[in-house]
Amino acid sequence: MRVARFHAPGDVRLEDAPEPTAGATEVKIRVRACSTCGTDVKISKFGHHHIHPPRVMGHEIAGEVVQVGAGVEGWAEGDRVQVIAAIPCGECAFCAKGQMNICPNQVSMGYHFDGGFAEYMVVPENVLKVDGLNRIPEGLSFAEASVAEPLACALNAQELVRINPGDDVVVVGSGPIGCLHERLARSYGAARVFLVELSRERLDMAAELVSPDAAICSADEDAVERIRELTDGRGVDVAITAAASGAAQEQALQMLARGGRISFFGGLPKDNPTITLDSNLVHYSELTIVGANGSSPEHNKRALQLIADGKVPVKDLITHLLPLDQVLEGIGIVQRGEAIKVTIEP
């Protein structure tokens, strides 16, 4: 079969590999869709400390069961499934408290296990043990189902930051995750959702799809001042930074109303992880700052259902559908910001 394997930073190869076989406690799937994200770009350029090459990449996975291990129950050939990306251990103190997304023993598809940029892949016992293989609802395409993984991460963040009906929300960053945040916030009943982005081209592409109440290009105008104008000087109730930018975090804090809440969704580069924080602003305005890291298996299940129910549409966010042989081109498209979502169909 054909796979896309990471060998070293700057060295991702399309190559032939033996078709895998499921062990007694595993399930083998025919990969039908594996969406790409900015993490794939970072891995291809810089590698990752959890990846010991060669490793098949891809972690936003949906497919069809073709083999069920002798010791596995509840699954059959032909079942349509979505696979979690981040796999908790299910046994530690954090998992016991329901905080599976911050499990310190977490492993991941495409990192510790071969991922979905392949014609076939094995779903390991680790996934099955934590109920991380999800049945795709009737009528939902494989491509749409593959977007459940990033939506699950957005779902975790928005639950932590608590978006209430009637809230004004600003999302800083208009990439695929920013678009998902915009639509998810609306599903929670946000009154208005504003989108802020540095790149005019990227902002226009996203705004055409998700129709924010205002699309603000921070390269062209003062985004903080514009948000204040739009909210009659009050500021927004919730800010979400869907960009790996310290400047975005600092800027978004200035957009908050008194009693506002902010989600630092996008992690910062490891060589520049600090920002300047006006502690008095947090103190006197009673602001709440929350982090957000990944998702749990339960978030994945609920994200899949949100897509299936039409509460968070994703089909139109998939701007590029490419075959496996064009996966390197797809990663390049993501890197250049020329798409919202690129999905590979092996």
Side-chain angles (χ1 to χ4, degrees):
M1 66 172 184
R2 297 288 281 170
V3 302
R5 272 202 189 116
F6 171 84
H7 285 268
D11 183 9
V12 178
R13 304 176 202 169
L14 268 166
E15 55 193 14
D16 293 321
E19 188 176 317
T21 301
T25 57
E26 300 171 333
V27 169
K28 174 182 170 182
I29 67 171
R30 173 73 171 91
V31 181
R32 296 298 185 185
C34 187
S35 287
T36 64
C37 76
T39 301
D40 296 313
V41 174
K42 286 189 281 188
I43 290 171
S44 66
K45 291 176 66 177
F46 307 114
H48 192 279
H49 65 281
H50 284 310
I51 295 180
H52 301 291
R55 174 66 70 210
V56 178
M57 295 173 58
H59 58 274
E60 299 182 9
I61 305 162
E64 183 179 357
V65 174
V66 294
Q67 183 189 6
V68 180
V72 176
E73 297 180 352
W75 298 103
E77 290 184 28
D79 286 344
R80 295 172 356 108
V81 295
Q82 180 257 346
V83 187
I84 63 171
I87 312 162
C89 71
E91 298 172 352
C92 69
F94 293 96
C95 287
K97 289 194 296 183
Q99 296 174 298
M100 286 187 162
N101 56 296
I102 52 173
C103 168
N105 308 312
Q106 187 182 91
V107 291
S108 301
M109 299 304 300
Y111 293 69
H112 305 84
F113 303 99
D114 282 341
F117 291 154
E119 295 179 71
Y120 295 90
M121 59 160 275
V122 167
V123 179
E125 180 183 8
N126 306 59
V127 168
L128 301 177
K129 191 176 88 170
V130 296
D131 196 22
L133 189 62
N134 300 311
R135 210 172 294 275
I136 298 175
E138 190 80 24
L140 196 64
S141 71
F142 290 110
E144 291 169 283
S146 72
V147 184
E149 192 280 327
L151 178 59
C153 298
L155 181 60
N156 173 51
Q158 293 203 15
E159 285 185 345
L160 289 167
V161 81
R162 304 186 326 276
I163 293 179
N164 301 313
D167 279 348
D168 279 340
V169 178
V170 63
V171 178
V172 183
S174 66
I177 201 72
C179 291
L180 289 172
H181 271 299
E182 198 273 355
R183 287 192 168 163
L184 184 59
R186 291 197 188 280
S187 79
Y188 276 116
R192 293 185 295 177
V193 184
F194 309 120
L195 199 56
V196 174
E197 168 65 51
L198 190 62
S199 163
R200 167 57 67 184
E201 184 178 358
R202 196 171 181 81
L203 178 65
D204 289 347
M205 180 168 51
E208 186 176 349
L209 289 171
V210 300
S211 301
D213 292 279
I216 303 162
C217 180
S218 54
D220 297 341
E221 60 180 319
D222 186 320
V224 175
E225 185 177 309
R226 181 70 178 127
I227 289 293
R228 292 286 172 184
E229 289 175 359
L230 289 164
T231 57
D232 298 322
R234 190 180 71 91
V236 295
D237 302 287
V238 176
I240 299 168
T241 56
S245 164
Q249 292 181 352
E250 292 175 355
Q251 191 179 59
L253 279 162
Q254 301 293 326
M255 299 175 184
L256 289 174
R258 290 173 178 266
R261 306 171 305 280
I262 185 168
S263 171
F264 284 175
F265 181 88
L268 301 187
K270 286 183 171 52
D271 60 352
N272 190 21
T274 60
I275 64 169
T276 299
L277 173 65
D278 183 345
S279 182
N280 277 339
L281 179 65
V282 177
H283 171 66
Y284 287 110
S285 294
E286 292 194 349
L287 304 182
T288 300
I289 303 172
V290 296
N293 178 37
S295 62
S296 70
E298 181 61 27
H299 287 126
N300 270 257
K301 290 186 187 304
R302 289 167 44 213
L304 197 57
Q305 199 59 53
L306 283 169
I307 298 170
D309 291 344
K311 293 180 180 178
V312 182
V314 302
K315 187 175 183 178
D316 60 336
L317 300 182
I318 302 170
T319 52
H320 293 67
L321 286 166
L322 299 176
L324 182 60
D325 281 347
Q326 294 180 32
V327 65
L328 299 182
E329 178 184 339
I331 291 172
I333 291 170
V334 174
Q335 181 179 350
R336 295 188 297 273
E338 297 171 356
I340 298 298
K341 201 70 179 166
V342 177
T343 299
I344 304 302
E345 295 183 312

